[in-house]
Amino acid sequence: MSSSVPSHKRQKREDYRSAHKEEGKAELPKKKFYRQRAHANPFSDHQLSYPSSPASMDWSTHYPKFVATTDDISEVQNIAQDAGSQYVKPMLKEVEVADIGCGFGGLLVALAPRLPNTLMVGNQTGMEIRTQITEFVQDRIEALRQQHSEQGNYQNIACLRANTMKFLPNFFRKHQLTKIFLCFPDPHFKARKHKARIVSTTLNSEYAYVLRPGGTVYTITDVEDLHIWMVKHFDAHPLFERVSKEEEQRDECVELMKTETEEGKKVERNSGNKFVRCFRRLEDPPWVD
């Protein structure tokens, strides 16, 4: 089947992206040269690369300023590798925040200066499935790093192309994350498509696995039916409890996901509703002998 994008437009986009990378431009990339369909099928074979385990994941290329030097290595805690796995450069910090479905990276960029010492990774359906959108966010982050090189800002955010509906535990060890954002996910309106929603009984167990006790899952959508679905599934999970409305109002991250994501801004322009709910990861129950 031929592409719906005229060949001359497609070539223009490819030329722009190639030139942007080769010249190492510090100007922010333009969205019109990275256009792609709004959603991707999470069950398709996207020929993704992913680590065999969290210990095999090399974060050094994504956060070069946080790579441990020879002098630092003795001070870095919990740097473990699977026996026989390839060498992975040790990091001074672990990734603690995941924006699952980061789109064009608005939330990541907003969070970066507010959580300067926290490593954050963004993704679409978990680490951006859509190739061109991933490339846009990566180029955006690189441009911001160049623009703020003297201050060293935006070194703590990155974007990966991956599918966390399949591979989340391959990237993050148990209890590694402190925050997970699920912002304006695909609502999959048809009942037969509900299995593709980013919140489900199975996926919530995976979020509970990688999220440390006391950590938070943030959800926001402009679709009330999806909001009800997400609340229902998190309420039913034994390892999550609702965060009170008072706590949500005090949490700066809640306001940022309302106002800084591209979808949030679009909903605002259209005077739409935003449905927010946050959930706290509970302590693991004691083992019964």
Side-chain angles (χ1 to χ4, degrees):
M1 182 180 294
S2 61
S3 173
S4 60
V5 180
S7 59
H8 69 280
K9 289 187 177 181
R10 186 164 60 249
Q11 186 61 49
K12 188 176 181 180
R13 292 177 183 178
E14 292 174 357
D15 291 344
Y16 171 86
R17 296 199 300 270
S18 296
H20 196 277
K21 290 183 182 299
E22 291 174 3
E23 297 172 16
K25 292 185 177 179
E27 67 179 32
L28 293 174
K30 299 176 181 178
K31 289 180 185 177
K32 67 179 182 180
F33 293 109
Y34 298 81
R35 291 299 179 188
Q36 193 168 348
R37 62 185 299 175
H39 303 291
N41 183 354
F43 301 120
S44 295
D45 181 5
H46 293 278
Q47 298 182 333
L48 301 170
S49 298
Y50 55 92
S52 59
S53 70
S56 301
M57 178 59 194
D58 185 3
W59 294 104
S60 63
T61 57
H62 302 285
Y63 307 99
K65 296 297 184 181
F66 288 89
V67 176
T69 64
T70 303
D71 294 335
D72 294 323
I73 290 177
S74 60
E75 301 176 11
V76 178
Q77 301 298 314
N78 299 321
I79 299 174
Q81 298 183 48
D82 291 336
S85 65
Q86 64 181 15
Y87 174 74
V88 176
K89 293 181 180 179
M91 303 293 293
L92 292 172
K93 293 181 177 292
E94 288 188 310
V95 175
E96 293 185 29
V97 176
D99 181 5
I100 298 180
C102 72
F104 288 97
L107 180 61
L108 280 176
V109 171
L111 286 172
R114 292 170 172 82
L115 302 173
N117 296 313
T118 301
L119 298 192
M120 295 173 277
V121 64
N123 30 68
Q124 182 69 15
T125 311
M127 302 164 167
E128 196 51 75
I129 271 183
R130 298 172 297 170
T131 309
Q132 294 182 34
I133 309 305
T134 301
E135 191 175 349
F136 172 86
V137 181
Q138 292 171 342
D139 289 350
R140 182 181 185 181
I141 292 171
E142 182 56 34
L144 287 169
R145 288 177 176 178
Q146 290 187 44
Q147 291 177 4
H148 299 83
S149 57
E150 292 186 6
Q151 301 92 340
N153 296 338
Y154 300 101
Q155 297 291 336
N156 60 330
I157 55 176
C159 180
L160 308 181
R161 181 172 182 254
N163 182 354
T164 56
M165 287 186 73
K166 291 183 177 181
F167 305 118
L168 185 66
N170 292 73
F171 289 91
F172 306 115
R173 63 173 178 79
K174 183 177 182 180
H175 295 173
Q176 179 174 336
L177 301 180
T178 59
K179 301 178 188 295
I180 294 176
F181 290 91
L182 305 174
C183 300
F184 300 98
D186 188 340
H188 293 289
F189 290 107
K190 296 180 180 179
R192 64 185 178 84
K193 294 286 189 179
H194 286 178
K195 62 184 179 182
R197 285 180 168 177
I198 198 66
V199 169
S200 67
T201 302
T202 301
L203 289 173
N204 287 0
S205 292
E206 294 203 353
Y207 301 146
Y209 177 81
V210 299
L211 196 65
R212 70 186 60 168
T216 306
V217 175
Y218 297 78
T219 73
I220 183 171
T221 178
D222 59 330
V223 179
E224 187 172 15
D225 174 69
L226 178 60
H227 171 68
I228 294 171
W229 168 282
M230 293 193 291
V231 170
K232 173 185 174 182
H233 281 75
F234 275 111
D235 279 348
H237 199 285
L239 289 178
F240 287 104
E241 67 175 4
R242 294 192 195 186
V243 172
S244 70
K245 287 294 184 181
E246 292 73 22
E247 289 179 271
E248 287 181 354
Q249 291 172 0
R250 293 194 301 267
D251 192 333
E252 183 181 28
C253 293
V254 172
E255 186 61 28
L256 290 178
M257 74 175 180
K258 288 181 180 179
T259 59
E260 297 298 330
T261 61
E262 282 70 20
E263 283 296 321
K265 292 176 181 178
K266 183 170 70 175
V267 173
E268 195 73 30
R269 290 194 299 269
N270 295 331
S271 300
N273 294 317
K274 299 175 187 177
F275 303 97
V276 174
R277 210 69 179 107
C278 300
F279 301 88
R280 183 181 294 107
R281 169 63 156 89
L282 299 173
E283 292 285 345
D284 292 331
W287 286 100
V288 178
D289 294 331

